[in-house]
């Protein structure tokens, strides 16, 4: 086999896309899932860039794994949670193999799904495609142009600069947040960019806890060179989010906006792109 042919095969493997399954929700929202194997156990996992931890259910396959530690975290509703950590020896995601990965083991009472968090996704550059197909590519070549402005926070999750009308702030980029969310103080300070639709009493955070929020329509949200118009957003007090990130994060880019573009991130080099 020629050297060129070998290089083409390697490039094809590196760029192999993992198809995403989308659970569609209200207001253009949704949640992405990917198939992966955890110690040869096939799982359909939520892809959650807003989770610092990867999670696995306390199912029969993993119930006998010894705990290697405890982990504590807050839900977006501000409720403290504590659970065991276990070690998964082999994780296959797309063409990537991760070894000896710690997962938080969630009890059935928490009603959470198996989740691939930013602790795995962010180890290498990654590309989410939504415009022509729904897929995840790990380790692919960087598109052009690349932008600055990614900020990686203490728990590994990351944020981008955004424009909410005439106000500039930062927003977490969270694939498992079904709806884009804006802090209520920013809505009050920029009333021309937001119009009230209705109260929502069926919103939930990433741990399944109910959150009361109001539904608004944002006239414009600028992310890099793109401006998204007439985006439905949830509005609430995001003080809890700022406990897990640095000050200045006053919004969450959720899936109803994320699915409108293709996104590339290289968190190690703090570069990103949107198309």
């Amino acid at each position: 086999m020629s050297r060129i042919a070998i290089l083409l095969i390697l490039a094809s493997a590196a760029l192999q896309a993992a198809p995403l399954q989308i659970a569609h929700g209200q207001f253009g929202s949704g949640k992405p899932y990917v198939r992966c194997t955890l110690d040869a156990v096939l799982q359909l996992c939520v892809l959650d860039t807003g989770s610092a931890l990867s999670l696995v259910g306390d199912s029969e396959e993993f119930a006998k794994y010894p705990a290697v530690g405890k982990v504590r975290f807050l839900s977006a509703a501000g409720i403290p949670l504590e659970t065991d950590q276990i070690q998964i020896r082999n994780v296959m995601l797309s063409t990537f193999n991760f070894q000896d990965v710690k997962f938080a083991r969630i009890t059935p009472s928490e009603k959470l799904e198996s989740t691939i968090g930013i602790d795995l996704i962010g180890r290498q550059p990654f590309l989410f495609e939504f415009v022509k197909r729904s897929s995840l590519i790990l380790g692919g070549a960087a598109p052009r142009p690349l932008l600055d402005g990614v900020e990686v926070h203490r728990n590994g999750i990351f944020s981008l600069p955004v424009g909410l009308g005439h106000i500039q702030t930062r927003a977490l980029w969270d694939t498992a947040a079904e709806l884009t969310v804006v802090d209520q103080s920013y809505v009050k300070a920029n009333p021309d960019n937001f119009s009230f639709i209705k109260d929502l009493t069926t919103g939930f955070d990433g741990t399944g806890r109910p959150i009361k929020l109001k539904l608004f329509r944002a006239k414009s949200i600028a992310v890099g060179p793109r401006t998204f118009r007439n985006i439905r957003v949830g509005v609430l007090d995001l003080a809890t989010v700022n406990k897990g990130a640095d000050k200045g994060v006053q919004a969450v880019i959720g899936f109803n906006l994320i699915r409108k573009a293709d996104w590339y991130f290289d968190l190690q080099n703090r570069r990103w792109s949107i198309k």
Side-chain angles (χ1 to χ4, degrees):
M1 185 179 292
S2 71
R3 182 172 180 271
I4 293 177
I6 293 173
L7 289 174
L8 288 174
I9 291 172
L10 291 174
S12 176
L15 291 174
Q16 182 175 341
L20 302 181
Q21 297 184 29
I22 308 300
H24 301 283
Q26 298 184 79
F27 319 121
S29 65
K31 188 182 293 186
Y33 292 79
V34 66
R35 292 193 179 277
C36 58
T37 56
L38 311 179
D39 284 347
V41 178
L42 182 62
Q43 297 272 297
L44 185 62
C45 296
V46 179
L47 278 174
D48 187 356
T49 60
S51 175
L53 304 169
S54 293
L55 314 174
V56 68
D58 190 10
S59 59
E60 180 180 351
E61 295 89 350
F62 303 108
K64 294 182 180 180
Y65 278 47
V68 296
K70 291 280 188 181
V71 62
R72 298 176 179 83
F73 55 98
L74 282 177
S75 76
I79 298 174
L81 301 175
E82 180 180 270
T83 188
D84 289 334
Q85 277 189 311
I86 61 172
Q87 186 162 291
I88 305 295
R89 292 178 292 276
N90 189 282
V91 178
M92 280 295 299
L93 177 61
S94 182
T95 59
F96 275 75
N97 182 286
F98 303 95
Q99 295 184 339
D100 297 326
V101 180
K102 290 182 180 180
F103 274 66
R105 181 170 55 197
I106 305 300
T107 62
S109 62
E110 298 296 345
K111 299 181 180 179
L112 294 178
E113 301 171 282
S114 293
T115 297
I116 299 296
I118 197 62
D119 57 325
L120 278 182
I121 302 172
R123 292 187 183 188
Q124 59 285 302
F126 58 94
L127 169 67
F128 276 94
E129 298 179 312
F130 293 107
V131 175
K132 292 184 179 180
R133 59 179 179 174
S134 296
S135 62
L136 169 68
I137 298 174
L138 298 177
R144 294 290 186 269
L146 287 176
L147 305 171
D148 296 317
V150 172
E151 185 172 345
V152 180
H153 301 277
R154 294 184 299 275
N155 55 7
I157 61 176
F158 66 98
S159 64
L160 301 175
V162 297
L164 305 175
H166 67 275
I167 295 177
Q168 299 297 310
T169 185
R170 301 192 65 83
L172 300 181
W173 198 87
D174 188 350
T175 50
E178 297 192 32
L179 195 64
T180 297
V181 177
V182 179
D183 186 80
Q184 59 192 15
S185 64
Y186 273 65
V187 174
K188 292 178 181 178
N190 193 9
D192 292 341
N193 193 52
F194 298 95
S195 55
F196 176 75
I197 298 176
K198 64 178 180 178
D199 290 311
L200 290 179
T201 57
T202 56
F204 297 90
D205 69 9
T207 68
R209 266 60 174 191
I211 297 177
K212 294 182 180 180
L213 70 164
K214 298 180 181 295
L215 184 67
F216 279 71
R217 180 179 289 106
K219 292 181 181 178
S220 68
I221 299 177
V223 187
R226 295 283 305 273
T227 298
F228 300 91
R229 301 192 183 280
N230 297 318
I231 300 296
R232 291 180 180 180
V233 301
V235 175
L236 74 164
D237 182 358
L238 282 179
T240 302
V241 170
N242 273 332
K243 293 179 181 178
D246 293 333
K247 293 181 178 179
V249 174
Q250 297 295 341
V252 177
I253 300 172
F255 196 71
N256 67 319
L257 191 153
I258 288 172
R259 69 189 309 175
K260 296 178 179 292
D262 295 335
W263 308 76
Y264 171 87
F265 296 99
D266 180 351
L267 299 184
Q268 281 71 32
N269 294 302
R270 308 300 197 259
R271 308 299 298 278
W272 69 289
S273 178
I274 180 174
K275 181 179 180 182

